[in-house]
């Protein structure tokens, strides 16, 4: 009995010892993990979470952004802080309509704030997949109504979309094209942009004026305006235009970059049809065309861009030829020549001759060098395959000059004048344009003759 009892006594503690050893190892591992987590917090490991978040209230957004790079643990704590009501109030400023706060440059302080916030969230979510990053950021920003396409009641006097655009530009800077495609698709899903675009490009121009304005502001402020490199701007403009047929691309391009009313900001559809316009009204369209024609826009061929310009010139109806000519001049030499050469190759000689005359007229009106127009005509003449075609083109140019002068002279003699006496002024400019155009041709001919003597 004694021996049995002793054996039983010695076996029980051994079993207890083994169980105790296993639990102690688990406790040690748990303590090691906690200590590693605490060590990643550095000096903040002694602070309760509430005190840590109170400290953050005294740091600028840039300082918090720098802090987020210290360790993954601190980054996670900052993500939690941003999601709290106090973090939301602190970081999601919404003074989008208060553009003249005392001591602040108009709107600049809030734009800088969202630039810093974009960097903060970029760093905090660095280790997450793109899809998860976008979901988290949307969760943070979803309560800001002025970041939505239809969210603000006064979009023309709001910096919300600009702040959102700067935020996204900082967030996505350096991302590859596949990730940026995901960003664009994500934004389209949130804003329902494709369906809204479908509405305006398939409706009568101007019938959905408010929606046209909102699409213009959203595309420009959120997707296009804040990029430094032209390749980035070309990428985002391509994403906006490419899903649509060419005729809709032209409509959409006009909505985004065409002339708008100085009173209410709505797109002015009749501007190119009713009378000659100025450079300001065409500059946005010209810059967009140049952007797509650049080698940076890899998804566009020269033929694509020229077809787009051709479609644009009949939005919403056929433009005045003077406005066509002015757009081509503003678009640059390469686009202007390629557009004219395409007409020469396709046998549209009379259209080309009229365009040549209006190029000379715009040079005269807008004080460009007339020798540019003559040199452009020289280059176009080389496109014709035979001397007969070239001579026919030159004869058409002279005929157009003559017919236009006679038509304008008839308008002046009829006495049908408006307050600005525009008919006489147009005749004056055209006669001067013809004289200066032929003067440059004579100079060119004389220089050529003298060099051969």
């Amino acid at each position: 009995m004694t021996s049995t009892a002793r054996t039983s006594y010695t076996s029980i503690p051994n079993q207890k010892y083994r169980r105790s050893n296993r639990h102690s190892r688990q406790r040690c591992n748990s303590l090691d993990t906690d200590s590693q987590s605490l060590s990643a917090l550095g000096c903040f490991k002694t602070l309760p979470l509430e005190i840590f978040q109170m400290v953050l209230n005294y740091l600028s957004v840039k300082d918090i952004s720098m802090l987020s790079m210290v360790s993954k643990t601190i980054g996670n704590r900052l993500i939690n802080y941003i999601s709290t009501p106090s973090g939301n109030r602190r970081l999601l400023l919404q003074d989008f309509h208060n553009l003249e706060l005392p001591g602040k440059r108009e709107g600049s302080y809030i734009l800088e704030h969202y630039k810093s916030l974009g960097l903060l969230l970029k760093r905090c979510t660095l280790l997450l997949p793109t899809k998860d990053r976008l979901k988290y950021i949307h969760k943070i920003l979803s309560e800001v109504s002025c970041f939505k396409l239809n969210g603000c009641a006064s979009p023309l006097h709001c910096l919300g979309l600009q702040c959102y655009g700067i935020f996204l530009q900082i967030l996505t800077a350096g991302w590859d094209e596949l990730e940026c495609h995901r960003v664009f698709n994500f934004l389209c899903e949130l804003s329902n942009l494709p369906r809204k675009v479908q509405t305006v490009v398939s409706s009568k121009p101007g019938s959905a004026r408010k929606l046209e304005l909102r699409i213009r502001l959203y595309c420009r402020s959120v997707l296009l305006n804040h990029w430094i490199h032209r390749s980035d701007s070309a990428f985002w403009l391509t994403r906006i235009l490419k899903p649509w047929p060419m005729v809709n691309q032209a409509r959409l391009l006009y909505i985004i970059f065409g002339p708008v009313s100085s009173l209410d900001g709505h797109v002015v559809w009749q501007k190119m049809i009713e009378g000659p316009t100025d450079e300001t009204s065409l500059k946005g369209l010209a810059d967009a065309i140049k952007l797509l024609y650049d080698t940076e826009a890899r998804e566009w061929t020269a033929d694509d861009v020229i077809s787009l310009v051709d479609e644009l010139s009949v939005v919403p109806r056929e433009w005045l030829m003077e406005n066509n000519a002015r757009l081509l001049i503003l678009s640059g030499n390469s686009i202007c020549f390629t557009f004219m050469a395409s007409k020469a190759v396709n046998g549209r000689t009379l259209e080309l001759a009229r365009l040549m005359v209006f190029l000379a007229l715009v040079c005269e009106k807008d004080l460009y060098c007339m020798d540019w127009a003559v040199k452009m005509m020289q280059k176009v003449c080389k496109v014709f395959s035979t001397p007969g075609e070239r001579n026919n083109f030159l004869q058409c140019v002279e005929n157009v000059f003559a017919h236009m002068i006679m038509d304008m002279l008839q308008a002046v003699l009829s006495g049908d004048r408006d307050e600005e006496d525009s008919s006489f002024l147009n005749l004056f400019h055209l006669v001067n344009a013809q004289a200066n155009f032929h003067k440059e041709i004579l100079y060119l001919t004389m220089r050529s003759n003298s060099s051969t003597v």
Side-chain angles (χ1 to χ4, degrees):
M1 291 289 293
T2 305
S3 176
T4 304
R6 189 164 48 245
T7 303
S8 175
Y9 175 79
T10 56
S11 65
I12 292 173
N14 286 340
Q15 292 173 359
K16 286 184 176 180
Y17 175 77
R18 285 195 294 272
R19 284 198 298 271
S20 177
N21 185 45
R22 185 171 64 250
H23 288 307
S24 66
R25 283 199 301 270
Q26 289 175 350
R27 283 198 298 272
C28 288
N29 290 338
S30 177
L31 289 171
D32 287 344
T33 304
D34 290 344
S35 63
Q36 288 172 6
S37 178
L38 288 172
S39 65
L41 287 170
C43 296
F44 294 110
K45 66 183 178 182
T46 59
L47 296 178
L49 181 60
E50 294 80 2
I51 304 299
F52 175 74
Q53 292 183 355
M54 288 175 66
V55 171
L56 295 178
N57 289 331
Y58 291 91
L59 299 179
S60 69
V61 181
K62 287 185 179 179
D63 291 336
I64 298 174
S65 178
M66 292 294 293
L67 183 62
S68 69
M69 297 191 295
V70 170
S71 69
K72 181 180 178 181
T73 306
I74 285 185
N76 289 335
R77 285 210 174 183
L78 292 175
I79 286 177
N80 292 332
Y81 166 72
I82 294 167
S83 303
T84 63
S86 61
N88 258 254
R89 285 193 301 272
R90 165 80 194 289
L91 297 173
L92 296 183
L93 301 183
Q94 298 191 41
D95 296 324
F96 303 125
H97 305 90
N98 193 8
L99 305 184
E100 296 182 357
L101 292 179
K104 305 283 187 182
R105 284 188 299 134
E106 185 173 329
S108 62
Y109 83 99
I110 198 166
L111 295 174
E112 285 297 321
H113 173 83
Y114 275 96
K115 184 182 290 186
S116 300
L117 184 61
L119 187 58
L120 169 59
L121 288 176
K122 184 188 188 82
R123 289 170 171 172
C124 283
T125 61
L126 188 62
L127 300 178
L128 296 176
T130 301
K131 187 176 180 180
D132 294 338
R133 294 176 90 173
L134 294 173
K135 283 183 177 179
Y136 169 74
I137 289 164
H138 169 61
K139 180 181 176 183
I140 297 297
L141 303 181
S142 60
E143 298 304 317
V144 183
S145 61
C146 289
F147 287 172
K148 300 172 184 177
L149 191 148
N150 285 321
C152 182
S154 181
L156 280 175
H157 305 97
C158 177
L159 287 175
L161 292 180
Q162 291 186 50
C163 289
Y164 192 33
I166 284 180
F167 172 89
L168 286 173
Q169 186 263 323
I170 295 296
L171 177 73
T172 59
W175 290 17
D176 62 34
E177 282 197 5
L178 179 59
E179 291 174 313
C180 290
H181 272 280
R182 288 173 179 159
V183 173
F184 181 75
N185 292 336
F186 187 77
L187 292 173
C188 285
E189 186 178 342
L190 290 181
S191 62
N192 206 9
L193 183 62
R195 190 167 185 174
K196 290 177 168 62
V197 169
Q198 177 67 54
T199 299
V200 295
V201 297
S202 58
S203 304
K204 183 180 177 182
S207 62
R209 297 168 71 229
K210 291 183 178 178
L211 186 55
E212 290 170 358
L213 172 61
R214 289 187 180 275
I215 289 173
R216 178 189 178 96
L217 293 175
Y218 188 86
C219 289
R220 291 179 68 140
S221 298
V222 176
L223 300 175
L224 298 173
N225 283 358
H226 307 292
W227 297 104
I228 298 170
H229 302 295
R230 291 179 62 82
S231 57
D232 292 322
S233 300
F235 171 84
W236 291 99
L237 182 55
T238 299
R239 301 282 70 73
I240 294 169
L241 296 179
K242 272 296 184 179
W244 305 99
M246 188 67 71
V247 62
N248 290 342
Q249 287 179 16
R251 280 276 292 272
L252 188 52
L253 198 70
Y254 194 96
I255 288 171
I256 298 173
F257 296 105
V260 293
S261 167
S262 58
L263 299 176
D264 56 17
H266 291 128
V267 178
V268 182
W269 289 100
Q270 306 302 316
K271 186 82 170 180
M272 307 302 173
I273 302 165
E274 293 177 342
T277 188
D278 55 7
E279 290 185 5
T280 306
S281 299
L282 290 164
K283 188 177 185 306
L285 290 168
D287 288 344
I289 291 165
K290 284 191 285 188
L291 187 66
L292 299 177
Y293 193 80
D294 281 354
T295 54
E296 300 286 358
R298 297 188 300 275
E299 297 176 59
W300 298 83
T301 65
D303 286 343
D304 289 337
V305 178
I306 296 309
S307 297
L308 183 59
V309 174
D310 221 8
E311 286 288 350
L312 187 62
S313 67
V314 292
V315 173
R317 297 193 304 280
E318 188 173 357
W319 291 10
L320 295 183
M321 189 62 79
E322 182 177 329
N323 293 333
N324 266 332
R326 189 169 278 108
L327 176 65
L328 288 174
I329 290 174
L330 292 174
S331 298
N333 291 352
S334 295
I335 294 172
C336 184
F337 169 71
T338 307
F339 186 83
M340 297 177 75
S342 70
K343 290 189 180 296
V345 169
N346 290 308
R348 296 159 70 177
T349 307
L350 183 57
E351 287 181 39
L352 180 60
R354 292 190 72 239
L355 181 57
M356 191 67 248
V357 170
F358 277 100
L359 286 175
L361 179 60
V362 173
C363 285
E364 176 65 27
K365 280 187 171 184
D366 296 355
L367 304 180
Y368 295 124
C369 294
M370 190 62 76
D371 68 334
W372 174 87
V374 173
K375 288 175 182 176
M376 183 61 67
M377 187 176 71
Q378 273 189 307
K379 288 181 67 177
V380 171
C381 283
K382 294 177 182 177
V383 175
F384 292 103
S385 55
T386 66
E389 291 177 340
R390 184 183 65 241
N391 292 341
N392 179 49
F393 164 64
L394 295 175
Q395 182 64 58
C396 284
V397 170
E398 294 306 314
N399 290 342
V400 170
F401 264 123
H403 289 153
M404 285 180 60
I405 288 174
M406 292 302 296
D407 289 343
M408 289 184 181
L409 181 60
Q410 186 175 1
V412 171
L413 293 177
S414 68
D416 186 16
R417 300 180 183 182
D418 53 25
E419 292 181 2
E420 297 178 355
D421 206 9
S422 59
S423 57
F424 180 79
L425 191 60
N426 287 336
L427 177 61
F428 171 80
H429 284 306
L430 184 59
V431 170
N432 275 330
Q434 185 186 41
N436 287 324
F437 185 74
H438 287 136
K439 178 188 70 176
E440 293 297 334
I441 293 175
L442 290 173
Y443 284 164
L444 189 66
T445 304
M446 295 304 294
R447 282 196 297 269
S448 175
N449 289 340
S450 61
S451 63
T452 58
V453 175

